[in-house]
Amino acid sequence: MLDLERQSIADFTEKAYLDYSMYVILDRALPSLADGLKPVQRRIIYAMSELGLSAAAKFKKSARTVGDVLGKYHPHGDTACYEAMVLMAQPFSFRYPLVEGQGNWGSPDDPKSFAAMRYTEARLTAFARVLLAELGQGTVEWAPNFDGTLQEPKVLPARLPHVLLNGASGIAVGMATDLPPHNLREVVAAAIHMLEHPKATARELQAFVPGPDYPTEARIITPREQLLKMYETGSGSVKMRARWLRDGARLIIDALPYQVSGSKVLEQIAGQMQAKKLPWVEDLRDESDHRQPTRLVVEMRSNRVDAERLMAHLFATTDLERNYRVNMNAIGLDGRPRLFDLRTILSEWLSFRVETVRRRLENRLEKVLDRLHVLQGYLVAYLNIDEVIAIIRREEEPKPVLMARFDLTDRQAEAILELKLRHLSRLEEMQIRGEQDELLRERQTLEETLGSEKRLRHLVREELEADVETYGDDRRSPLEDAEELVSAEAFAEADLLPTEPVTVVVSRRGWVRAGKGHELDPESLTYKAGDGYLAHARGKSNQPAVFLDSAGRTYGLATHTLPSARGHGEPLSSSVSPPAGAEWIGVMLGEPEDRVLLASDYGYGFIARLADLQTRQKSGKASMTVPKGAHVLPPRPVTGLDDTVLVAVTSAGYLLAFPVAELPELARGKGNKIINVPRKKLADRSEFVEHVFVLPKGATLRLHAGKRYMNLGPSDLENFRGARALRGKVLPRGFRNVDRLEVPAD
């Protein structure tokens, strides 16, 4: 009978998935804090060192390296292994490349465009010595490879905090890492400070490491406090912005954010040009070459284009500005994956480095003691050379005889027996004693260093400083104050429209249309049967039109969306939803800061800015409070408050003129009294305010009464001047029933 183990599918799948998750986290996706490498990267570096591919060696085919890695240490796909190798060779991907390539290893425009591994050659860079220099000195633990035939290092003895220098990115199961690269000089300065001040805070460390340092010269614009929070918590984001300059009517972009393709950026800009969303851009060119790897040229239509505003739009709508997620997940020294902050990374790495140096010194001390032991045996052999030779010639087993005769250890006797005969003549006493003296001094230094934690940490500091001198370089990604830069902001739809003169016309039944130019005569247009001209406003096509109804509500519509004046237009009710029974009163057009006079025939009114009257709501905005029984008068544009005169005329022929500035400026409301009309007459509608008019400084007012008209010049108007809210003066006979007011053309 078969001996079977029974297990539920739920238990089996849970265990299998957890095992798979831990494998992906520990053996594939996350870097080790000790050397900053993922397993595949570590195996590639180690295999290349075993092949003798140092920075001074000749290049070898990449296929040879990949074959060794797969056959000896990493039994996975050759494509994935080669891509990991390519990434370490690309200077635009790694801040400090570990592999030096020969051939096509991709380009910043297309990092995946590298040639096949049978065509490319590679060797290690000089910087890779930081990871490998102490490998054979007893510094790290070793483990069997996948088939148990070879040994491979669990981690490499990194002399520098490589986990911060080149960073890492990877996606595991339920965990991802995005470690940004940093500048070597800055990181080592912080490590040395941490070595001497173990309780240093992230804010203190930020004085040395102000932010990440990518392999590109694009600017980091993340605020300093946000970067500090990222270093304190281990998570956050970094924002980069392309570097650009203006040359006449050209914008030259000469540095792109990390891993951004110049061809993709040009494609994004060209797409906006085709969609007519960039009217200020005339042409695009890519002038990049081997001398200037990044040079994108944007030709503007003229020198008058606001370059800062245009670039702010491009930053918001293309990859010229990019955010990078930061999650500083790594595998700690205890073998567990977790989120690290900057202080913990440096603290743990320094622990690793101090222990690595300790193990290196202990290993060296062991070798020194062994050599001294052997030299002591050599000295005995030299002083008794004839007897030693005689014993070797005479005895069948000379080793135990030598040990007994000269009180030698097994190691000493074995070393003497392994000497070739021709070497015996070289065993000169002075040479042996000279080497002994040197080794004794080295032993003393090693024992003193190992016996003092202070000396050990001082040695670590000296080695860090020496590596900075060898491998350190200047920062590439400048840090800039985001407050001093123009914020990325896409153009509003109105900004993208041509600023053409336009006339908006509204009919009595609420049909609206817009015609190009200001020469259009609204009253000469054709209207539907039973309909006719009501009001018009002149402005620009990129200005929103504001409509006023009899309920005192205002509505905003984009002028460029209005139908053409060639037809009858469209009803406003198809775009907005006025209250039942409301009638249209007028239309306003202008800049947001332009002012208009809103008034009712009860003699109340106020000054309002167009920006306060605009709204996107279909139901409009309650801008004006209309007294019960009153009617809204057509709005009047206010060209200025200084010396501008407001003229009010009642149905009984009373006229009052006073400065517009006496009326309040409100966002909404009823307003103040303009002219005094007896309340009883307002109630029975025997008298009401029929016209309000805003007269520019020094202008003449023309009053039309039937076929007759009368001009009131500035001096004539003085007779009707008074304070706001007075009764005014009655007009001459024949002009007490005014049809309309206007400023006569010259």
Side-chain angles (χ1 to χ4, degrees):
M1 184 176 179
L2 294 175
D3 185 15
L4 299 176
E5 178 185 355
R6 293 182 177 274
Q7 190 177 11
S8 71
I9 293 178
D11 292 342
F12 173 79
T13 54
E14 181 180 356
K15 182 178 183 303
Y17 188 72
L18 285 174
D19 290 346
Y20 166 73
S21 302
M22 291 308 297
Y23 167 74
V24 172
I25 291 171
L26 298 177
D27 290 336
R28 185 176 294 182
L30 264 61
S32 168
L33 184 142
D35 59 10
L37 297 174
K38 301 178 187 179
V40 64
Q41 295 171 329
R42 185 179 304 115
R43 288 162 177 165
I44 291 170
I45 299 300
Y46 176 62
M48 293 182 74
S49 71
E50 288 295 287
L51 285 170
L53 294 176
S54 66
K58 290 183 179 180
F59 289 91
K60 279 189 179 178
K61 284 289 184 183
S62 301
R64 172 69 188 278
T65 300
V66 172
D68 263 38
V69 174
L70 299 186
K72 293 181 178 179
Y73 311 110
H74 196 71
H76 297 282
D78 59 338
T79 302
C81 180
Y82 181 50
E83 286 190 7
M85 182 179 173
V86 168
L87 193 69
M88 292 190 290
Q90 292 176 335
F92 48 85
S93 295
F94 260 43
R95 180 63 177 82
Y96 299 96
L98 300 173
V99 176
E100 182 181 355
Q102 197 167 253
N104 178 13
W105 289 79
S107 66
D109 255 0
D110 188 5
K112 299 285 187 180
S113 63
F114 50 85
M117 56 184 159
R118 62 182 178 273
Y119 299 120
T120 61
E121 298 177 337
R123 65 183 180 189
L124 293 170
T125 61
F127 181 79
R129 280 185 51 80
V130 168
L131 303 173
L132 296 165
E134 301 174 357
L135 187 58
Q137 301 177 23
T139 49
V140 293
E141 295 181 4
W142 295 70
N145 68 338
F146 64 90
D147 61 1
T149 59
L150 296 169
Q151 293 284 310
E152 62 175 319
K154 288 185 177 180
V155 295
L156 297 180
R159 292 171 58 91
L160 294 172
H162 180 251
V163 68
L164 287 173
L165 301 184
N166 273 324
S169 64
I171 300 175
V173 179
M175 185 176 286
T177 183
D178 291 283
L179 269 158
H182 291 79
N183 182 268
L184 189 151
R185 288 177 179 168
E186 296 174 356
V187 170
V188 171
I192 291 173
H193 182 79
M194 190 79 180
L195 193 65
E196 298 177 344
H197 305 86
K199 295 184 179 180
T201 64
R203 187 177 292 276
E204 292 174 19
L205 295 175
Q206 196 187 27
F208 303 96
V209 185
D213 186 24
Y214 292 90
T216 172
E217 296 177 357
R219 302 171 295 177
I220 295 175
I221 62 171
T222 307
R224 182 180 176 85
E225 286 300 317
Q226 193 173 326
L227 290 174
L228 175 61
K229 186 176 180 182
M230 177 189 79
Y231 285 136
E232 288 176 337
T233 62
S235 62
S237 65
V238 177
K239 184 178 290 185
M240 292 193 80
R241 179 177 284 187
R243 187 178 66 187
W244 65 280
L245 57 92
R246 180 169 187 166
D247 181 16
R250 298 189 305 167
L251 299 178
I252 300 172
I253 300 163
D254 58 4
L256 294 171
Y258 180 53
Q259 293 181 332
V260 168
S261 164
S263 59
K264 184 179 179 182
V265 169
L266 290 178
E267 184 180 331
Q268 291 172 334
I269 299 175
Q272 294 189 45
M273 292 173 65
Q274 291 175 358
K276 296 184 178 180
K277 293 185 177 180
L278 279 179
W280 299 279
V281 176
E282 191 172 63
D283 192 20
L284 297 173
R285 287 194 310 279
D286 187 353
E287 297 182 356
S288 306
D289 55 27
H290 66 282
R291 290 177 299 177
Q292 283 188 293
T294 301
R295 184 179 170 86
L296 309 181
V297 179
V298 179
E299 291 278 359
M300 299 182 293
R301 292 195 179 275
S302 72
N303 288 331
R304 296 189 299 273
V305 174
D306 187 346
E308 292 276 352
R309 184 73 180 90
L310 175 58
M311 287 304 300
H313 170 78
L314 294 179
F315 289 142
T317 57
T318 70
D319 286 343
L320 290 176
E321 182 174 296
R322 194 165 180 180
N323 268 329
Y324 300 90
R325 184 177 61 249
V326 174
N327 284 310
M328 296 199 286
N329 285 307
I331 301 171
L333 300 183
D334 57 0
R336 296 181 178 181
R338 67 179 189 273
L339 185 67
F340 288 87
D341 56 77
L342 177 63
R343 184 184 178 282
T344 310
I345 286 178
L346 290 174
S347 177
E348 282 212 17
W349 183 83
L350 285 170
S351 299
F352 167 77
R353 181 60 190 158
V354 170
E355 182 60 27
T356 300
V357 173
R358 188 193 306 277
R359 294 179 65 166
R360 187 191 78 204
L361 297 181
E362 288 173 347
N363 179 265
R364 177 58 185 166
L365 179 60
E366 185 179 336
K367 289 183 177 180
V368 167
L369 293 174
D370 180 70
R371 182 62 179 169
L372 284 170
H373 187 61
V374 170
L375 288 176
Q376 185 64 35
Y378 284 166
L379 193 58
V380 171
Y382 172 75
L383 296 174
N384 301 277
I385 187 67
D386 294 333
E387 189 176 354
V388 169
I389 293 173
I391 292 173
I392 294 173
R393 291 181 64 188
R394 182 178 67 244
E395 299 294 336
E396 186 175 339
E397 292 289 339
K399 184 176 178 180
V401 178
L402 288 172
M403 292 172 64
R405 171 69 183 83
F406 300 110
D407 194 21
L408 299 174
T409 63
D410 183 272
R411 176 78 178 91
Q412 288 173 325
E414 187 68 35
I416 292 171
L417 291 172
E418 286 179 354
L419 282 172
K420 294 181 180 179
L421 189 61
R422 66 173 179 268
H423 291 159
L424 292 176
S425 62
R426 297 180 183 176
L427 291 175
E428 300 177 6
E429 184 179 3
M430 293 303 293
Q431 289 181 348
I432 293 174
R433 294 193 182 280
E435 187 178 352
Q436 271 186 325
D437 291 341
E438 288 181 8
L439 291 175
L440 285 170
R441 286 193 294 270
E442 185 179 355
R443 183 185 71 175
Q444 182 181 1
T445 302
L446 289 171
E447 288 175 344
E448 288 176 353
T449 304
L450 287 169
S452 169
E453 187 70 20
K454 183 178 180 181
R455 284 175 177 265
L456 189 62
R457 298 176 82 85
H458 182 71
L459 177 60
V460 170
R461 171 176 179 158
E462 287 182 339
E463 292 179 351
L464 287 172
E465 291 173 342
D467 287 337
V468 166
E469 289 298 318
T470 305
Y471 304 108
D473 61 358
D474 295 332
R475 166 174 279 276
R476 291 189 193 170
S477 304
L479 288 149
E480 297 198 11
D481 190 353
E483 294 181 359
E484 297 179 2
L485 300 174
V486 177
S487 59
E489 183 181 359
F491 290 131
E493 187 178 4
D495 295 333
L496 302 172
L497 300 172
T499 56
E500 299 174 340
V502 68
T503 302
V504 178
V505 183
V506 181
S507 72
R508 291 194 299 269
R509 290 186 176 179
W511 285 66
V512 64
R513 46 187 153 170
K516 292 183 179 180
H518 290 170
E519 296 77 20
L520 179 70
D521 183 5
E523 297 188 38
S524 66
L525 297 175
T526 59
Y527 295 87
K528 285 181 172 291
D531 198 3
Y533 166 79
L534 173 68
H536 74 279
R538 293 187 170 96
K540 297 178 180 178
S541 56
N542 64 340
Q543 296 170 338
V546 179
F547 301 89
L548 176 68
D549 70 8
S550 59
R553 302 186 71 84
T554 54
Y555 310 81
L557 291 178
T559 303
H560 71 277
T561 63
L562 299 178
S564 171
R566 295 176 181 174
H568 291 129
E570 294 178 359
L572 279 169
S573 56
S574 63
S575 302
V576 297
S577 302
E583 297 179 353
W584 295 107
I585 301 299
V587 59
M588 297 158 275
L589 199 59
E591 297 294 334
E593 296 302 317
D594 288 351
R595 294 171 173 80
V596 293
L597 168 65
L598 298 183
S600 68
D601 65 358
Y602 266 34
Y604 289 89
F606 61 95
I607 306 298
R609 295 185 313 126
L610 279 181
D612 295 328
L613 305 179
Q614 295 170 7
T615 178
R616 295 183 179 180
Q617 299 293 328
K618 287 191 68 174
S619 59
K621 177 181 180 181
S623 297
M624 185 178 179
T625 303
V626 184
K628 187 177 180 181
H631 297 125
V632 178
L633 296 175
R636 297 292 183 181
V638 178
T639 54
L641 296 178
D642 295 336
D643 297 326
T644 305
V645 178
L646 190 154
V647 177
V649 181
T650 71
S651 59
Y654 284 88
L655 188 150
L656 176 66
F658 62 87
V660 171
E662 292 187 15
L663 273 185
E665 184 173 318
L666 305 174
R668 58 192 300 176
K670 176 182 176 181
N672 288 4
K673 182 171 285 190
I674 297 174
I675 185 171
N676 186 19
V677 179
R679 185 175 301 178
K680 183 178 180 181
K681 292 188 176 184
L682 288 173
D684 62 13
R685 302 293 294 177
S686 60
E687 186 180 357
F688 51 86
V689 178
E690 195 163 20
H691 304 284
V692 288
F693 196 82
V694 178
L695 191 65
K697 178 182 178 181
T700 297
L701 178 67
R702 177 171 290 178
L703 290 77
H704 288 267
K707 295 183 180 181
R708 302 172 62 192
Y709 68 85
M710 177 178 66
N711 290 334
L712 295 177
S715 58
D716 302 321
L717 206 58
E718 285 296 323
N719 298 324
F720 296 91
R721 274 187 174 265
R724 180 187 61 80
L726 293 181
R727 177 63 168 151
K729 292 185 178 180
V730 68
L731 289 165
R733 289 184 180 275
F735 290 95
R736 294 177 183 175
N737 189 12
V738 178
D739 296 325
R740 59 189 173 91
L741 307 177
E742 67 176 9
V743 176
D746 293 336

